[in-house]
Amino acid sequence: MNRVYSPMLSLTHPVRHYRWRLSKFPSTSYRRIRTTLFCLVWISAWSDALSNERNEEAVASTVACSFTTTPISSDEMIVVGDIIGSHGTRYAAILIHEGKIRQIGNVDEIRSAAPNSSLLACEDAYISPGFVNAHEHPPYSGGKPGPKVAPVYTNRYQWQGKAGDQYEEIAYSRVESDAQLYWIELRHLLAGTTTIAGNGAVPGLLKNVGSGDRDSGFVYQADMKTFPFPQAIDEFKSMPWPHDGPSVEPELSEGMDARTPYVPHVAEGTDHISRLEAEFFLDYVAQNPGRRYGMIHGIGLSRSSVPRMKTLDVTLVWAPRSNLALYGETVDVPYFIQQGVRVALSTDWSYSGSYNMLESFRCATHIADERWDNALSAQELWRMATENGAYALDLEQTIGALKPGYSADIAIVRAKTDDPYNDLVASNVSDVIAMLVDGKITTGHINAFNVNELPHSCKNVVGNHFVCDDLAKRDFTWEQLLAANELAVPLFQTDGQASCTY
């Protein structure tokens, strides 16, 4: 990637000063040498068990992180570095208290005000809000696409085997064990995601949004109805388009609070059935104000409906790879943005979608370059994966940005240029240096840390990453986790991923 020059960033971006800044921390060189020796021994001990996860695209060896704690116990942490916001970056410190961001400001001032805080600072890295994946199906995201996944369908009922024998049903399966669900969430976490919207979860790893209860891993409630129009399979076939009769109401999930966001699957296809779903859903939104609405997929939306989405404040949840892999088409995202519609990015599921949000970035960038003459900027894609995803789920005051009062959900990613958005959008899993959920380190790249400085719970290792979790509280060991997922979608590789081409 060519280095991008930005006048605004050139005044505020401190990449060239990182080494001077880290020189303030004691024994940096010694820690690097000690870390390297320790990590070599650690990796070697795990090499046989982790052979299927050892082929990461690159090793992020240019980043060095300092993690220090004080003898006095404290529930505060300071994270120092280049903080990414909607308008660029600034070098600052984030003071975290009880999982939330208390203050962002001058490094020396915050360190003086909170001397007992633990300190995390990474050289040559950007600090971003963790990604919000606004649409996933975790229990259906453990396997690779089969040979029948192809852009030959006009609506989702065809590939599901519900539209007649002339359409081939694609193969997919549901995972059931906690170890398998954990692996799927870990795949997303390692790639920068801190919140997933989609039913099916494990407690205590990522933040989850869906209709489950807290004991099943769900932190926030949302109605992510998968089939809001069961009539579409039979009744919609005989309805004309355009439709001038009475509107059909979508179904809601049983037992959901009417104040929670409603983000169902709508218009997943290119035919008139999909167009009818879109119009009926927007009719329902117009007649039932007072809650947050989103539309997952929306491929069948007509252009005339897009301004209506803006008026009704409906966020489009976009799954670019899955759209192309199944239908050979996707929504005209630049047009949606021009009309003022918010667009959130997502993965969908592993059988036709992207394996993680970084791969959704890659697919979206490819589509924008090939089809829309580079109409989507990296900054717009980053916004789709952070603040827009949070907005779609009615959580824009809680997650999706790094601001005082927000949850300290943080992705620390290797800086390669002076353009933070391009770097994030072009990142691989190996570029993700550390992840924090509610202010706690959850994963990190072992080559960037002195592992002796990390909490004891961070001893779990896969590939070149450590995972911080007390598995004594779960019903499987780390060895059992690895064994249970030998045939699952790997954590780092993208082999077998669905196509992202027209």
Side-chain angles (χ1 to χ4, degrees), residues 87-99:
H87 304 290
T89 64
R90 62 168 171 156
Y91 183 75
I94 303 173
L95 177 59
I96 300 167
H97 177 73
E98 295 183 346

Side-chain angles (χ1 to χ4, degrees), residues 32-53:
R32 287 183 182 175
I33 295 172
R34 187 177 61 185
T35 300
T36 301
L37 292 174
F38 187 91
C39 291
L40 287 173
V41 174
W42 198 0
I43 296 172
S44 177
W46 282 87
S47 59
D48 293 337
L50 305 177
S51 59
N52 66 321
E53 290 297 336

Side-chain angles (χ1 to χ4, degrees), residues 132-434:
V132 180
N133 185 350
H135 166 223
E136 241 291 0
H137 298 275
Y140 296 94
S141 202
K144 296 180 180 180
K148 295 179 182 179
V149 174
V152 296
Y153 304 99
T154 60
N155 65 57
R156 58 178 168 161
Y157 308 106
Q158 295 170 351
W159 59 259
Q160 291 170 343
K162 299 177 181 179
D165 295 338
Q166 67 270 36
Y167 300 104
E168 290 191 287
E169 181 180 1
I170 70 171
Y172 58 92
S173 61
R174 178 186 176 95
V175 304
E176 300 292 345
S177 74
D178 284 348
Q180 290 174 309
L181 285 171
Y182 187 101
W183 185 266
I184 292 165
E185 287 202 9
L186 182 60
R187 189 179 82 225
H188 288 283
L189 177 65
L190 288 165
T193 295
T194 50
T195 299
I196 282 183
N199 295 323
V202 293
L205 192 61
L206 290 179
K207 289 184 173 177
N208 306 106
V209 180
S211 56
D213 57 39
R214 291 180 181 271
D215 290 340
S216 66
F218 288 92
V219 179
Y220 305 107
Q221 293 283 298
D223 190 343
M224 313 289 293
K225 185 75 172 178
T226 307
F227 298 106
F229 291 102
Q231 311 94 328
I233 302 174
D234 299 315
E235 297 178 21
F236 287 13
K237 292 179 181 178
S238 59
M239 291 183 180
W241 173 264
H243 182 69
D244 57 2
S247 184
V248 177
E249 286 198 0
E251 291 187 357
L252 308 178
S253 296
E254 186 176 352
M256 291 298 295
D257 191 319
R259 295 168 294 180
T260 61
Y262 185 38
V263 191
H265 294 61
V266 175
E268 187 181 349
T270 59
D271 60 1
H272 86 285
I273 291 176
S274 304
R275 290 194 290 271
L276 286 168
E277 284 190 0
E279 290 307 304
F280 293 155
F281 177 71
L282 292 178
D283 288 345
Y284 176 83
V285 174
Q287 296 162 10
N288 295 271
R291 68 193 301 187
R292 185 64 52 81
Y293 289 98
M295 180 187 294
I296 297 174
H297 294 303
I299 310 169
L301 274 163
S302 63
R303 275 208 164 200
S304 61
S305 298
V306 177
R308 195 177 179 203
M309 289 189 69
K310 160 63 177 175
T311 301
L312 296 172
D313 192 26
V314 178
T315 301
L316 174 73
V317 179
W318 185 32
R321 189 182 303 271
S322 195
N323 291 175
L324 291 187
L326 293 172
Y327 311 107
E329 189 56 83
T330 192
V331 289
D332 188 348
V333 170
Y335 181 74
F336 277 67
I337 294 174
Q338 290 168 9
Q339 295 298 313
V341 177
R342 285 185 181 85
V343 180
L345 193 64
S346 70
T347 55
D348 197 358
W349 63 338
S350 63
Y351 289 98
S352 65
S354 295
Y355 285 173
N356 57 51
M357 288 290 278
L358 298 178
E359 291 304 306
S360 285
F361 281 143
R362 222 173 308 284
C363 183
T365 300
H366 172 75
I367 296 170
D369 292 348
E370 296 292 321
R371 178 131 181 178
W372 300 321
D373 193 24
N374 304 301
L376 293 179
S377 70
Q379 184 174 0
E380 286 173 320
L381 291 171
W382 172 82
R383 187 175 290 115
M384 292 178 195
T386 54
E387 58 191 52
N388 286 6
Y391 189 91
L393 304 170
D394 199 18
L395 294 172
E396 73 276 11
Q397 301 299 320
T398 305
I399 61 174
L402 300 180
K403 298 179 180 179
Y406 282 55
S407 295
D409 298 340
I410 295 171
I412 301 177
V413 180
R414 182 161 63 114
K416 299 181 284 292
T417 73
D418 284 346
D419 189 316
Y421 309 110
N422 273 338
D423 278 7
L424 262 68
V425 168
S427 289
N428 298 306
V429 178
S430 58
D431 295 312
V432 180
I433 304 306

Side-chain angles (χ1 to χ4, degrees), residues 12 17 20 49 52 74 94 103 126 163 201 232 278 294 306 314-315 373 389 406 425 449 468-469 471 501:
T12 60
H17 301 304
W20 174 82
N52 66 321
S74 172
I94 303 173
Q103 183 180 354
Y126 290 118
V306 177
V314 178
T315 301
D373 193 24
Y406 282 55
V425 168
F449 285 84
C468 304
D469 191 10
L471 294 182
T501 59

Side-chain angles (χ1 to χ4, degrees), residues 93-155:
I94 303 173
L95 177 59
I96 300 167
H97 177 73
E98 295 183 346
K100 294 187 180 297
I101 298 172
R102 170 176 283 185
Q103 183 180 354
I104 301 177
N106 178 271
V107 177
D108 293 334
E109 291 178 0
I110 287 183
R111 290 191 65 186
S112 297
N116 296 325
S117 299
S118 56
L119 178 68
L120 173 62
C122 294
E123 177 182 355
D124 294 341
Y126 290 118
I127 300 174
S128 170
F131 302 141
V132 180
N133 185 350
H135 166 223
E136 241 291 0
H137 298 275
Y140 296 94
S141 202
K144 296 180 180 180
K148 295 179 182 179
V149 174
V152 296
Y153 304 99
T154 60
N155 65 57

